[in-house]
Structures are given as C-alpha cells and as structure tokens.
C-alpha cells in the first residue's frame, strides 16, 4: 500500500496505528461553538487543494468536523462542480466571507450563504490588506454585530488584539479566531504572546486560524490553551493531504491533552487564598 | 440557430460584473442559457437574494445586476 | 594552584548586604521573579529581602515547578548515626561542647554494627555518620573502620565529622564514604570568633575550605549551610547560597545541597540572637531554589512534622526520618535517654514519614544511588 491511488491513502498501515475515533468517543471534552458540540478541535479548509477529490478522504483521516468554503462568482468557462458535493453531510460547512472588503460585503455574503442552505455558521474574513492578507478588525467587528443580530453563529477571523476580542464578545460572536501568522505564511505562532493574552482574557472559545504550518505548531497552540485551530494551507498543499490531515489531528489531540493535564496540575493548587504558602500567614 | 426572440427583445444586464446581452427571460432561463447546473448556484438580482423556487417567476429587467455565485474551495 | 572559595569570599564579605536588603523594592523582586535565565547574586539578594515577603506564593509556585523539573516527585530519605559525642570544641551553641558535663560515649564497632542494623531494618539506605571533634577518641582508623562496616548496610555514606585534610578525606572516600556534610555555622567572621572561642574549630578559614577539600578528594555530594540564629539570617542565607553556587561551578560533577538548621529557644539554653521564623525559613528555601534549580535542600528532624510536610511542596529534596540524635539511641541504649545534640521535633518513624510523602504525591526514595 505504498503508492498513491487517487483517493486512497498512501500509507494506510501507518495511519491505522492510532485510531482517531477512539479519542472522539472519550469526548467529555467537546468543543462547543454556537451551542453545537464538536468532538474534533481541528477545523480545516477547502482552499488550495490540488484536487477536490482529496477533501473527503482528508476529512475522514483527520476527523475534522468543520470545514470552510468560500463563495465566488461562477465562472462559466470553468465548469467546476459545486464544492459542497465533496463534503460529507456529517461535516459542518463553514462559509467564509473571503473577498469582502467591508462589513456590508461580508454581511451580504453571509446572507447568501445561509440562503443557500449552509446553516447559521459564518466565518467573517474581511481583508483590506492584500499584501499580508491581514484582517480588518474594525470592519470585522461591524459585520459581527450585524450578523449576530440576524442570528448567525459568527466566527470572526481577527488580528490578535485583546480589546477587539472583548468587543467581539460583546457584539455577539460565538468565538474569536486570532491569526497565528498571515494566511499561507506557515510561520506558526508569530502572534504567540498576544494569543496567549487573548486566551487568558477571553470569555469565548479561541480558535487559532491562519499560519499554522506544522503539526507541532498546532500542538503548541492547543498547549497554550486555544480551544481549536483552523488549518487549511498546510494540509491542502502538502504532498499527501490525507496524511497531513491525520498528523494535524494527532497534534491537536496531543496539545489538548497536554493542556488538560496542565490544568489539572494547576487545579491541584487552585484555591481562593494562597495554597502553597498560606499556612505561613 | 438563434431563437427569433433573441433578435426581437434584447436587453442588457450586468452579469457577474460584465455587461451581457440577453433575451427577455426569467432568471431560471438565464441560468440555463449560461450553462450552469442550478443546484450549485446562488443567485442575486440587484443585491437581493432570489430563492431557487422563485427563479422561474423572476423576470429580468433591462439594466439588472445579476450575480451568480457558487461555493468554492476557501480557507 | 587550586582555586578556592576564599579567592572570591572577601569581596562578598565586604558587600553591604544589609543596606541592599533594605533598599530592595517590589519592582526588583518582580524582575528577579520574571527572569528566565540564571539568577545572579543581586537577584538572590532581592528574593531574600523583606520586600520579597509578599511574593512568597509566586516564588513558591516557580520553585515548585523547578523542583519538579529537576528532581521530580521524589524525596530522598536518610538517617543520622551519632557514633561519638566526645568533643574538644567549645561552640557556645552546641549541646555537646567541651564545657558541657555529661558522660561521653563512643560506640565500639560492634555497637555501630547494632545501630546500623537497627537503622537498616527501617528501610533506610543512606546514612549520615556524625561525631564530635575529638581526633584522639575517633582517629582515622576508627573512622575508616566505621565507614567500611557501614558499606555492608547502606548504599550511601555521608560524613558530618570534623574537618579533615584532603588526604584523609581521600582515605575515607576509598573506604566507601561518598558524601560530606559540613556547616560553616556562621559566615560572619566576628560572630564565628565569638561562638568558637577554642579548639580546632576556631579556624574559620580551614572550615570554610572544607567542602572544596572534600570535592577534590572525590566526594560525590556536598551538603553545606549556616546555623541560623548566630548572625543576621538574610546575610547568612545569601553567603551560603553563593558558597553553594561557587562549589557547583568549581566542581560540576558534585551534587551540592544546602540545609537550614535553625536555633530554637530551648529551655535553659542561651536564646539565639536571631530568630528565623517559619516564613523566613520558607523564603530562604524558595530563594535558594530559584537561584540554583539543581540545588539539593535537606531538612532534618529539627523541624516539626506539620512544617516539614509543607516543605515537601516547597522544594525540599531530602529528609531525615526516624532520627535519633543521641549516641547509641537506635539500639545499644535505646532504653535510656542519651544526651542529644539537638531536640528531635519530628519523631515520626521512617514508615510514617514515607507514608506522609506518598499521601502528598511524592515517592520516598531510600536508595538514590550507590557506588560501584
């Protein structure tokens, strides 16, 4: 089983070694987004794949339960099939508003996506900086407020900023998605320090989105305390996206378990007054 | 062979940002004419979303802005 | 020519520790606490300062983390074995000093054998041998015979005896001893002269250089420390830690430990000039841990059970247990009360201490290593 065969896995023997579903069964540690439970903390994306045929096997291998899609004008010459066909029904589609340069455009795309039957989830991505593809926090905040009022489950992609993070919470977002590093850069957690602070202060789940290039970076984000990560480029552009999907899934689990162990350790000594030296008072 | 209606009742609409000459027809007919699979399409006319079940009734006007969208890969 | 702690000590001695201790600010303490790299002597001073007292909890958390990283959840157990209370020194603070009138005892080898067997029966495998300073009563031959005998019962033999020359230490090393304990008592020369008016112990410099001689002779582990109460405690803590770090840098393959023996107000005895409170004790321990992550910290049964139990989570790495501080008290004359060097406050048996450690989430280790 060593050669690639279209949608087949390249090294199924290796992949059998750790069962992703085993972990999912033990999920008392479910991710809650907008009231919906997810047992996987790895969100993925459909962009940049060499072939759309790889999306379904990648989802199966990684166990990812939410995947982003974009909305574009149809190209009469392209004759492409609708991407939704490639996504299994059990996986939540997360439309993003990529292409929007203003809050109004983002809102419009969100409404279209919902009308098209995608459900209430929407990832707000408003980018005015085309050099680094950095999100516009102000427009994102505006869009969040408008869409939250319309009952969307809003996941805003944002430039890490504690103040904006709090404002997004107040505006009704269901999570915050600070970027790790610019989209496609694969530079990992360049924004580590800020992300850490957001995690510490956020009342909402934190999903680190963009820039995660290696599974170890995904693990690192989870160890920092992120609730989930979104990985698109690194998986899609891998020479074996199916294996990459599995690698990232394992990394996310490892990082999450490490975080839970760390929290258990802190819990040991978490009391109202000083636990270690309290007896000296 | 061109439909004789085409020559008799042409109008211009903006389709996905481009000016396009088209016959006086419904949205559904336009979509079919352009060669799209209806299932995969989302349609907006003058920035208003038109639900699929209404495509048949929705008659296009001269100067309408039509956006035909579909879901594609994205991050 | 060998380097010596004495090369750097005068500079440290001359430093106006008190002024800097009082001048330390909360910002200084915070800076020391936030540092990721190795702390320097200025940081240590800030952590020992009164200004650091509100930060004990934060120091404790960091110290605990470092202890876990470097030592794991393990506490080593040992027991002291006093083999002779003959002493020619006149240390004013000690229950065994030459001026105190009580029948002195020295164990024969057979008696040492009995004591050793009794201690080993409790599971202890690391032993600390103690004598007073009386070379006539406890000559090298006696000491080497004792050490050889003890190697039959224990995997590690530490010595807390009078300072010897490097050659003698080498002899004892070859006989099977592997660790050396020697407390400077006080790093303050004036005080040292006061409290050690007579005997070989009056030689301050010889005592100060004892750990180095031991290291050069091949001892694997060194345990040093001041006797808190004789001179100003924060300065003692600072100098002792700097001594420890110097030893660590000069002898990288030797395990260095510090202890915190502190004088208490015992009935009838001279009250100590300086009292070290539990809070001070903890502060010193924590500061030491932050200053030297790999430092061993030894706590004896001088300290009360409840207090010792807390120290488990504050960076202690070695505990004595089931201790008897009178000569022959384990077996030979366990029926009578032998004169004790200091009052044992934690009278729990080895098994009780081990059980306490396990309840605290620690593994008691009886045998850490042995020489082969």
């Amino acid at each position: 089983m060593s050669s690639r065969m279209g949608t087949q896995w390249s090294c199924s023997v290796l992949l059998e070694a750790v069962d992703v579903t085993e972990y999912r069964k033990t999920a008392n540690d479910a991710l809650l987004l907008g009231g919906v439970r997810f047992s996987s903390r790895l969100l993925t994306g459909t962009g940049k794949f060499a072939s759309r045929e790889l999306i379904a096997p990648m989802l199966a291998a990684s166990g990812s339960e939410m995947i982003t899609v974009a909305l574009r004008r149809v190209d009469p010459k392209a004759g492409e099939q609708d991407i939704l066909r490639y996504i299994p029904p059990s996986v939540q589609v997360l439309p993003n508003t990529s292409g929007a340069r203003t809050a109004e455009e983002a809102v419009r795309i969100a409404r279209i996506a919902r009308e098209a039957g995608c459900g209430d989830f929407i990832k707000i991505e408003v980018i005015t900086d085309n050099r680094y593809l950095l999100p516009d926090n102000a427009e994102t905040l505006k869009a969040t407020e408008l869409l939250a009022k319309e009952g969307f489950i809003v996941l805003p992609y944002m430039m890490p900023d504690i103040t904006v993070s709090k404002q997004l919470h107040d505006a009704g977002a269901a999570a915050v998605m600070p970027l790790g590093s610019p989209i496609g850069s694969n530079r990992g957690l360049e924004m580590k320090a800020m992300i850490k602070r957001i995690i510490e202060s956020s009342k909402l789940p934190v999903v680190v989105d963009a820039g995660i290039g290696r599974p170890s970076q995904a693990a690192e984000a989870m160890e920092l305390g992120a609730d989930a990560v979104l990985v698109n480029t690194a998986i899609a552009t891998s020479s074996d996206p199916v294996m990459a999907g599995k690698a990232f899934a394992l990394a996310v689990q490892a990082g999450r378990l490490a975080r839970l162990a760390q929290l258990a350790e802190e819990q040991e000594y978490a009391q109202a007054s000083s636990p270690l030296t309290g007896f000296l008072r | 062979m061109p439909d004789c209606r085409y020559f008799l009742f042409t109008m211009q609409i903006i389709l996905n940002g481009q000016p396009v000459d088209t016959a006086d027809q419904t949205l559904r007919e336009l979509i079919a004419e352009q060669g799209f699979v209806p299932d995969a399409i989302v349609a907006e006319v003058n920035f208003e979303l038109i639900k699929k079940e209404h495509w048949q009734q929705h008659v296009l006007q001269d100067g309408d802005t039509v956006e035909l969208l579909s879901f594609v890969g994205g991050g | 020519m060998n380097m010596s702690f004495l090369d750097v000590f005068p500079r440290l001695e001359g430093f106006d520790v008190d002024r800097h201790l009082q001048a330390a600010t909360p910002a200084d303490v915070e800076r020391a606490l936030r540092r990721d790299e190795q702390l320097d002597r200025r940081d240590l001073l800030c952590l020992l300062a009164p200004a650091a007292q509100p930060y004990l909890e934060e120091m404790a958390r960091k110290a605990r983390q470092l202890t876990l990283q470097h030592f794991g959840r393990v506490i080593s157990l040992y027991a002291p074995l006093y083999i002779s209370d003959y002493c020619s020194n006149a240390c004013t603070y000690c229950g065994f000093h030459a001026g105190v009138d009580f029948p002195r005892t020295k164990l024969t080898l057979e008696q040492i054998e009995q004591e050793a067997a009794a201690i080993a029966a409790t599971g202890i495998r690391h032993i600390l041998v103690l004598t007073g300073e009386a070379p006539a009563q406890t000559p090298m031959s006696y000491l080497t015979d004792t050490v050889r005998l003890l190697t039959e019962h224990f995997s590690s033999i530490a010595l807390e005896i009078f300072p010897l020359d490097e050659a003698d230490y080498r002899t004892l090393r070859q006989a099977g001893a592997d660790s050396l304990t020697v407390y400077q008592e006080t790093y303050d020369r004036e005080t040292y002269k006061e409290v050690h008016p007579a005997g070989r112990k009056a030689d301050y410099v010889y005592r100060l250089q004892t750990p180095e001689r031991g290291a050069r002779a091949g001892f694997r582990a060194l345990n040093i420390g001041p006797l808190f109460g004789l001179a100003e405690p924060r300065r003692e803590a600072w100098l002792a830690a700097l001594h420890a770090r110097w030893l660590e840098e000069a002898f990288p393959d030797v395990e260095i430990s510090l202890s915190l023996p502190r004088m208490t107000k015992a009935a009838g005895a001279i009250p100590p000039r300086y009292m070290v409170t539990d809070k001070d004790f903890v502060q010193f321990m924590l500061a030491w841990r932050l200053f030297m992550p790999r430092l061993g910290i030894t706590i004896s049964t001088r300290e009360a059970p409840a207090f010792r139990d807390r120290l488990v989570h504050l960076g202690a790495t070695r505990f004595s247990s089931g201790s008897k501080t009178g000569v022959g008290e384990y077996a030979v004359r366990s029926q009578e009360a032998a004169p004790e060097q200091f009052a044992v406050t934690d009278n729990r048996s080895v098994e009780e201490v081990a059980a306490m450690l396990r309840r605290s989430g620690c593994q008691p280790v009886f045998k850490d290593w042995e020489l082969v």
Side-chain angles (χ1 to χ4, degrees), chain C residues 45-119:
Chain C
L45 201 58
C46 295
L47 294 174
L48 290 169
Q53 288 201 328
Y55 292 89
L56 284 194
E57 185 60 24
E58 202 180 326
M59 285 169 70
R61 286 211 192 109
K62 196 165 177 197
R64 184 179 143 75
Q65 186 54 41
L66 285 170
T67 313
L68 279 177
Q69 269 170 245
H70 293 280
F71 293 90
R73 295 178 186 271
V74 163
I75 300 262
S76 220
L77 295 181
Y78 75 96
L81 171 59
Y82 285 76
I83 61 174
S84 162
D85 53 26
Y86 283 93
C87 192
S88 53
N89 286 323
C91 314
T92 60
Y93 49 83
C94 176
F96 283 177
H97 83 70
V100 179
D101 187 17
F102 69 91
R104 304 280 171 154
T105 317
K106 171 187 128 180
L107 297 177
T108 63
L109 287 177
E110 290 73 30
Q111 290 172 326
I112 293 174
E113 170 71 43
Q114 273 181 275
E115 297 280 288
I119 297 170

Side-chain angles (χ1 to χ4, degrees), chain A residues 45-47 68-74 76 82-84 96 108 112-113 115-116 118 123 232, chain B residues 16-17 34 36-37 39-44 47 49 51 67-75:
Chain A
T46 52
T68 56
V69 297
L71 204 63
R72 287 286 180 279
R73 287 167 167 170
V74 282
D82 175 24
I83 195 132
L84 298 177
N96 78 15
R108 187 180 139 235
I112 293 171
E115 276 310 314
C118 275
K123 169 181 164 180
N232 184 184
Chain B
N16 283 357
Q34 295 293 320
F36 295 125
V37 178
D39 286 350
I41 303 269
V42 177
E44 259 195 339
F47 302 105
L49 196 90
K51 289 196 192 189
E67 292 279 338
L68 298 181
L69 309 160
S70 78
F71 289 99
V72 300

Side-chain angles (χ1 to χ4, degrees), chain C residues 224-256:
Chain C
I224 65 171
L227 175 57
F228 285 110
L230 295 172
E232 200 285 304
R234 291 174 203 276
R235 181 165 178 269
E236 299 274 63
W238 189 68
L239 290 171
L242 293 178
H243 193 183
R245 181 178 272 184
W246 184 90
L247 288 166
E248 188 185 63
E249 283 166 10
F251 306 103
D253 56 339
V254 176
E255 291 172 20
I256 311 295

Side-chain angles (χ1 to χ4, degrees), chain C residues 322-370:
Chain C
S323 307
K324 304 271 183 258
T325 58
V327 175
E329 274 200 304
Y330 288 101
V332 172
R333 48 173 180 168
S334 50
Q335 304 311 312
E336 4 160 341
E340 297 180 336
Q341 190 189 26
F342 64 82
V344 169
T345 325
D346 187 346
N347 279 297
R348 289 178 294 186
S349 68
V350 171
E351 198 35 62
E352 284 169 323
V353 172
M356 175 280 288
L357 289 172
R358 284 186 201 106
R359 277 195 305 271
S360 306
C362 264
Q363 193 201 143
V365 164
F366 294 92
K367 178 169 153 175
D368 202 3
W369 42 270
E370 69 184 308

Side-chain angles (χ1 to χ4, degrees), chain C residues 109-132:
Chain C
L109 287 177
E110 290 73 30
Q111 290 172 326
I112 293 174
E113 170 71 43
Q114 273 181 275
E115 297 280 288
I119 297 170
T122 63
I124 292 287
R125 291 291 172 270
H126 286 210
I127 194 86
L128 174 65
V129 181
L130 298 105
T131 66

Side-chain angles (χ1 to χ4, degrees), chain B residues 19-59:
Chain B
V20 161
D21 290 326
T22 184
D24 177 13
Q25 58 185 333
T26 66
L27 185 55
R28 185 160 180 274
E29 285 161 343
L30 173 72
I31 288 168
E33 179 190 81
Q34 295 293 320
F36 295 125
V37 178
D39 286 350
I41 303 269
V42 177
E44 259 195 339
V45 178
N46 300 331
F47 302 105
E48 198 194 307
L49 196 90
I50 311 296
K51 289 196 192 189
K52 209 161 282 184
E53 51 261 37
H54 298 149
W55 288 355
Q56 189 128 348
Q57 292 96 316
H58 193 98
V59 178

Side-chain angles (χ1 to χ4, degrees), chain C residues 30 48 51 57 78 95 146 150 198 233 240 273:
Chain C
E30 283 172 25
L48 290 169
E57 185 60 24
Y78 75 96
T146 300
L150 292 173
R273 196 172 293 169

